[in-house]
């Protein structure tokens, strides 16, 4: 019997997308949310340009890298897409980041917010740069992000910066053994967002939380952006 033709990469990615959309839909319905309010951010770190193109053909239109350098390396080979930065941004790369990304999800200090506002004001004066403020809601020493108390202190200044638009908050959960353990992190980010938004009209409602292992739980708890790498592209090569 001849071997069945291998599923093409694009077909595999389409299947992955359908299954993710189904799980997002089920999670949204469980809590009475509209599934259309949840956006998939396809995280393409370590993924080669041709697979990123296949993913875009399969319908993934919002994509992300966690390093500016990696986006630069693939930019020529990958046309289009709406790109988010989801990794730490050093201040000397702020200008390049604004040129290469539509949204920076990882603004984690007042300093960085001020720098981005200033450069975005030069590079794109007509439209403020959309950003999310990364919060370390678990108080995890291994994680980047604002301490919630610092965020409360700095938020009024950040919201007044003319070059950026703060669409909402983002968090990276702790490393955990089972997905259910991620829920308190998501609950905490949403509660923080609600509290801050009741006092600061300029803070947007976006919540970027949930990754491949736990995104249905994040959707149940209010995520508007889920950042998925392995659920789309499979396991990443382990770093040597
Ligand atoms: C790599 C990465 C993701 C995606 O992780 P998966 O577990 O592969 O879904 C999401 N967010 C950030 C910040 C990442 O660096």
């Amino acid at each position: 019997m001849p071997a069945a033709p291998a599923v093409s990469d694009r077909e595999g990615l389409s299947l992955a997308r359908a299954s993710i959309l189904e799980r997002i839909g089920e999670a949204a319905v469980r809590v009475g949310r509209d599934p259309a309010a949840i956006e998939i951010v396809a995280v393409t770190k370590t993924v080669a340009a041709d697979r990123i193109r296949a993913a875009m053909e399969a319908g993934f239109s919002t994509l992300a890298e966690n390093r500016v350098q990696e986006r630069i390396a693939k930019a020529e080979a990958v046309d289009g897409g709406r790109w988010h930065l989801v990794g730490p941004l050093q201040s000397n790369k702020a200008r390049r980041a604004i040129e290469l990304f539509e949204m920076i999800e990882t603004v984690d200090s007042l300093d960085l917010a001020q720098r981005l506002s200033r450069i975005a004001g030069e590079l794109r004066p007509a439209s403020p740069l959309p950003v999310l403020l990364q919060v370390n809601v678990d108080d995890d020493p291994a994680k980047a992000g604002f301490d919630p108390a610092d965020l409360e202190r700095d938020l009024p200044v950040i919201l007044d910066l003319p070059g950026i638009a703060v669409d909402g908050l983002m968090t990276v959960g702790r490393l955990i053994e089972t997905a259910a353990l991620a829920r308190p992190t998501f609950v905490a980010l949403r509660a923080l967002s609600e509290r801050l938004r009741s006092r600061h009209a300029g803070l947007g409602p976006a919540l970027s939380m949930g990754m491949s292992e736990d995104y249905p739980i994040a959707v149940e708890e209010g995520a508007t952006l889920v950042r998925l790498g392995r659920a789309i592209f499979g396991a990443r090569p382990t770093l040597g």
Side-chain angles (χ1 to χ4, degrees), residues 182-204:
R183 191 181 297 273
T185 302
F186 304 147
V187 170
L189 190 70
R190 185 181 60 183
L192 179 67
S193 165
E194 284 171 358
R195 193 154 55 78
L196 294 174
R197 275 164 51 73
S198 71
R199 288 183 220 155
H200 304 279
L203 175 62

Side-chain angles (χ1 to χ4, degrees), residues 43 45 66 86 172 211-212 227-230 236:
V43 182
K45 63 186 182 213
N66 71 332
V86 298
V172 180
M211 316 203 298
S212 292
R227 307 181 309 267
L228 305 181
R230 290 166 300 150
R236 281 183 289 277

